[in-house]
Amino acid sequence: MPESIIRVKHLSYIYGSSPFPKKALNDISLEITRGDCVAIIGFNGSGKSTLIQHFNGLLRPSQGTVWVDGIEVGEKNTDLRALRQRVGMLFQFPEAQLFGQTVYADVAFGPQRMKLGRHEIRARVKAALDMVGLPHEKYARRSPFELSGGQRRRIALAGILAMSPRILILDEPTVGLDGEGRLEFYSYLQRVQREQGVTIILVSHDMAEVATMANQLYILNQGKLVRQGTPQDVFAESEQLRSWDLVAPPLYKLLESLRQQGIAIPDNISTVDETFDFLQQQKIKSGFRMEYSEAEADHHRR
Amino acid sequence: MAKDVISPPLIDIQQVTYKYPVKRTMQDHNQLVTEPALQNINLQIQSGEYVALLGHNGCGKSTLARHCNALLLPDEGNVYIAGMDTRDVTKHGMIREYVGMIFQNPDNQLIATLVEDDVAWGLAVKGYPLPQIRERVAEALDAVNISHLRQLPPYKLSGGQRQRLAIAGILALRPQCIIADEASSMLDPFTRQELSELFSRLHRKFGLTIIQVTHLLEEAVYAQRIVIMERGRVIQEGTPAQIFADVERLQELKLIIPDPLKLVVYLRDAGFAISNQALTIEEIAQEIANA
């Protein structure tokens, strides 16, 4: 059985102690499997950010429990330092937080704060930069400010990878990147997941992004977990999604439209390539069928 | 509205070059070459047109948009709005009555404590009589479907509703043209789609000229004409059907190709008969089914 790296049980979080407290999270229970890439989605104000802030101890549960890689968050003596080394968090527009004179200084900041040895730090920075496709030899001495937006964002990612997290939480990681920058960022993320076995948690509004990257979706609506499932299952229910103010990604909308046009597209199709293969086979088949029936008709006529 | 073929364009941009003033800071020493943000731009937009100004980050599309209501003035060349030169400072008030602008973040242009007061503000400043203000506010709120929210403070509205409120504030002044500068970029996909539909509706219903500045191909679909910019130049112009026909080119321009469009290209290459006219998801689905 796959092992859960995050276990949330009956989590509620209440903001403020005013006479009218707001329940930002309401009785949430979920598990996230180690090594997975999952996404938390929901409309503005649905509680996504509140939830992920429990995963690295920025918030403590008002009720319920949160276990992250064996550490219980919210215990009085929770080792926050250990927790935050295991959980790396990349905020929106992380490149705005770069400050180092050089790329090296920026990426090395985290490991230095972890009080690692000099050689260890050097090795980690090098590995992290290589991991995000910015080779150490070429980029370490440059100023982060002379690089492109996409490269700067990957440096911010490298800064977190250098701390060797086991869980990586990314809040809207590709907002503001152009098409090329986006695809690059995805490919490096997938590499981190594959090669280092890091569990990735995405928070995103971009449904196309979520559909390509994540294999498990968690939908929040008004502080409640209303749905959990694979992108294929979740995005097939367009009516349900609308009720949570969400829309399926464009490809899924197209698949739905095609089904309405009478093309029986199987439920397991989820990428452009799969759709293409299916439609092409379908065409070949229907072509055959047509020829066959014509031949048959001819036969009868004779 | 009578449209004459020989009437001058509402917006006439002639050989405009613009360079942002360089701040002398440490960082600039690294950047030895500063390219002009706009280089010799020629663009005419007719009254009643719906134009999408498309390009990736930093291509100059927002800079160009800001020239269309005299927020920026060209270094070289001229911009005429309904025949008025934007260099003529005395005309700026009038130019901005003709061309209203909304931005990424609606909060930057909301000022009053109630929705209806916010819409009324522009009219009040211009000294319109009260009955007329009331009438125009009601009309503007109705046009963007937020009449039911008129007694609420703006902060109680959702992002999409606030963006609609910003549009209503502009509509109340009855401009000829609305420029939306990446107005959807802070919105979720659901509200983003609603906003695109609103622009099309305003265009059809009131004959408003719409200039939609965006980096998203799927938003440009609704326009009559797409103008693509790259490195401060206009590099391509055409109807959505013409522009979407060359996906490779769009990819070169670092634009994000929506999945349905990718699929259409694959299918076309494989011999499916799918025309260039299929742009929306429904149209694409229909053509695939009939191919």
Side-chain angles (χ1 to χ4, degrees):
Chain A
M1 220 189 101
E3 179 209 353
S4 297
I5 193 164
I6 290 183
R7 266 187 297 147
V8 176
K9 279 192 180 154
H10 303 295
L11 167 66
S12 291
Y13 184 79
I14 297 160
Y15 267 114
S17 49
S18 71
F20 307 104
K22 186 182 179 321
K23 220 171 198 179
L25 295 177
N26 193 348
D27 195 17
I28 288 185
S29 296
L30 58 83
E31 301 203 356
I32 294 171
T33 307
R34 188 182 289 274
D36 256 7
C37 178
V38 306
I40 297 170
I41 58 181
F43 195 65
N44 297 334
S46 60
K48 304 182 298 276
S49 303
T50 312
L51 178 61
I52 58 168
Q53 286 180 52
H54 282 84
F55 295 163
N56 75 342
L58 282 173
L59 293 176
R60 289 156 179 258
S62 304
Q63 286 152 23
T65 53
V66 176
W67 285 83
V68 177
D69 200 20
I71 300 176
E72 186 174 356
V73 181
E75 283 279 275
K76 266 206 183 112
N77 49 2
T78 299
D79 186 353
L80 285 177
R81 208 181 147 79
L83 179 66
R84 288 181 190 154
Q85 279 174 16
R86 288 182 207 192
V87 184
M89 197 174 305
L90 198 69
F91 292 101
Q92 278 186 44
F93 295 103
E95 62 273 25
Q97 297 171 17
L98 297 180
F99 56 87
Q101 292 266 336
T102 61
V103 168
Y104 185 91
D106 222 295
V107 177
F109 181 76
Q112 278 162 358
R113 300 273 297 180
M114 289 165 73
K115 303 207 169 63
L116 300 171
R118 206 153 47 92
H119 294 292
E120 173 73 10
I121 291 174
R122 181 170 290 272
R124 283 196 180 197
V125 172
K126 194 171 178 308
L129 283 173
D130 286 345
M131 185 55 87
V132 298
L134 298 167
H136 173 262
E137 306 78 43
K138 199 172 159 202
Y139 288 94
R141 289 179 179 196
R142 292 176 65 175
S143 160
F145 301 103
E146 57 186 63
L147 302 177
S148 76
Q151 289 172 328
R152 287 213 295 269
R153 198 165 293 190
R154 273 146 58 199
I155 288 170
L157 177 62
I160 293 186
L161 293 178
M163 307 211 283
S164 302
R166 296 181 192 170
I167 301 170
L168 189 57
I169 302 177
L170 304 116
D171 192 357
E172 299 279 4
T174 59
V175 164
L177 294 186
D178 60 32
E180 206 180 79
R182 235 165 242 243
L183 294 179
E184 277 172 359
F185 199 86
Y186 295 151
S187 74
Y188 292 116
L189 267 190
Q190 279 163 339
R191 198 169 145 199
V192 168
Q193 187 197 1
R194 208 175 45 234
E195 292 179 12
Q196 304 193 333
V198 174
T199 308
I200 294 179
I201 303 173
L202 285 171
V203 175
S204 181
H205 273 128
D206 184 341
M207 295 298 139
E209 169 171 302
V210 161
T212 27
M213 292 292 298
N215 51 15
Q216 194 70 214
L217 308 181
Y218 301 83
I219 300 184
L220 295 187
N221 185 45
Q222 297 183 351
K224 286 187 179 163
L225 180 68
V226 289
R227 180 80 165 91
Q228 178 188 342
T230 61
Q232 287 91 321
D233 290 346
V234 169
F235 289 139
E237 305 161 356
S238 55
E239 292 289 308
Q240 273 292 337
L241 286 170
R242 246 188 136 83
S243 74
W244 301 315
D245 292 321
L246 297 172
V247 279
L251 182 66
Y252 284 84
K253 281 200 260 178
L254 179 63
L255 294 177
E256 197 189 338
S257 259
L258 286 171
R259 287 186 188 112
Q260 283 166 1
Q261 295 281 339
I263 302 176
I265 294 185
D267 288 343
N268 60 353
I269 282 185
S270 62
T271 64
V272 173
D273 288 345
E274 287 166 8
T275 317
F276 172 70
D277 289 344
F278 172 78
L279 287 172
Q280 204 174 23
Q281 277 171 13
Q282 207 58 16
K283 192 182 186 189
I284 293 166
K285 264 194 243 159
S286 69
F288 278 144
R289 208 179 305 129
M290 209 186 292
E291 277 164 38
Y292 174 74
S293 59
E294 273 170 20
E296 206 175 34
D298 271 3
H299 181 77
H300 283 299
R301 241 176 270 145
R302 275 185 211 132
Chain B
M1 196 164 51
K3 252 186 260 167
D4 206 334
V5 188
I6 50 162
S7 71
L10 178 66
I11 294 175
D12 190 0
I13 298 165
Q14 293 185 356
Q15 299 182 339
V16 164
T17 294
Y18 180 79
K19 202 168 174 174
Y20 278 100
V22 180
K23 284 182 205 135
R24 294 254 164 249
T25 62
M26 282 287 284
Q27 272 175 44
D28 289 319
H29 292 296
N30 298 328
Q31 289 170 325
L32 296 173
V33 193
T34 50
E35 272 187 36
L38 299 177
Q39 299 192 51
N40 198 20
I41 302 246
N42 283 299
L43 182 66
Q44 280 73 40
I45 293 171
Q46 302 295 332
S47 178
E49 239 192 317
Y50 185 167
V51 177
L53 208 51
L54 187 69
H56 67 79
N57 297 346
C59 71
K61 56 192 193 297
S62 289
T63 308
L64 185 61
R66 283 168 165 72
H67 277 80
C68 295
N69 74 342
L71 281 179
L72 293 175
L73 302 178
D75 289 343
E76 288 163 41
N78 290 84
V79 178
Y80 298 97
I81 309 299
M84 294 175 282
D85 191 337
T86 58
R87 284 183 204 281
D88 184 350
V89 182
T90 61
K91 294 279 181 4
H92 282 187
M94 186 93 96
I95 286 171
R96 289 175 191 148
E97 261 181 63
Y98 272 78
V99 182
M101 197 153 177
I102 55 167
F103 301 91
Q104 253 185 39
N105 188 351
D107 293 345
N108 291 342
Q109 59 194 124
L110 302 181
I111 34 165
T113 49
L114 284 183
V115 164
E116 55 184 5
D117 289 350
D118 194 84
V119 179
W121 189 81
L123 297 166
V125 166
K126 290 189 186 291
Y128 281 85
L130 202 53
Q132 204 175 355
I133 292 182
R134 285 216 183 91
E135 187 194 317
R136 288 228 197 159
V137 168
E139 194 184 88
L141 287 173
D142 190 46
V144 298
N145 292 333
I146 53 167
S147 298
H148 57 295
L149 306 169
R150 66 181 185 280
Q151 295 283 354
L152 290 176
Y155 75 87
K156 288 225 170 160
L157 273 51
S158 72
Q161 288 168 339
R162 285 207 296 272
Q163 196 56 281
R164 280 157 187 268
L165 172 55
I167 296 170
I170 303 285
L171 279 179
L173 299 168
R174 294 204 180 151
Q176 302 261 321
C177 172
I178 287 190
I179 303 175
D181 187 4
E182 294 275 9
S184 74
S185 60
M186 292 183 66
L187 304 175
D188 63 281
F190 185 76
T191 328
R192 195 180 279 166
Q193 196 179 324
E194 280 185 344
L195 193 66
S196 284
E197 283 161 14
L198 174 65
F199 287 135
S200 315
R201 194 158 51 81
L202 292 175
H203 172 246
R204 278 197 315 270
K205 201 169 161 191
F206 301 108
L208 261 177
T209 313
I210 307 273
I211 303 176
Q212 195 170 8
V213 180
T214 180
H215 67 282
L216 295 174
L217 283 170
E218 55 264 43
E219 285 189 349
V221 166
Y222 298 89
Q224 294 168 315
R225 175 157 64 121
I226 296 178
V227 175
I228 303 185
M229 291 187 64
E230 163 87 347
R231 298 184 77 175
R233 296 170 193 275
V234 170
I235 53 157
Q236 216 168 339
E237 266 186 81
T239 63
Q242 288 165 345
I243 296 287
F244 281 60
D246 192 355
V247 172
E248 254 173 53
R249 178 93 180 106
L250 297 173
Q251 216 145 16
E252 276 169 27
L253 294 169
K254 297 186 180 177
L255 294 165
I256 302 163
I257 312 296
D259 284 343
L261 189 58
K262 265 188 226 161
L263 181 64
V264 165
V265 174
Y266 292 169
L267 290 173
R268 231 181 247 150
D269 289 348
F272 280 69
I274 299 173
S275 78
N276 286 344
Q277 301 303 319
L279 295 174
T280 65
I281 284 179
E282 288 72 26
E283 290 164 1
I284 292 172
Q286 215 156 38
E287 291 225 9
I288 291 176
N290 297 331

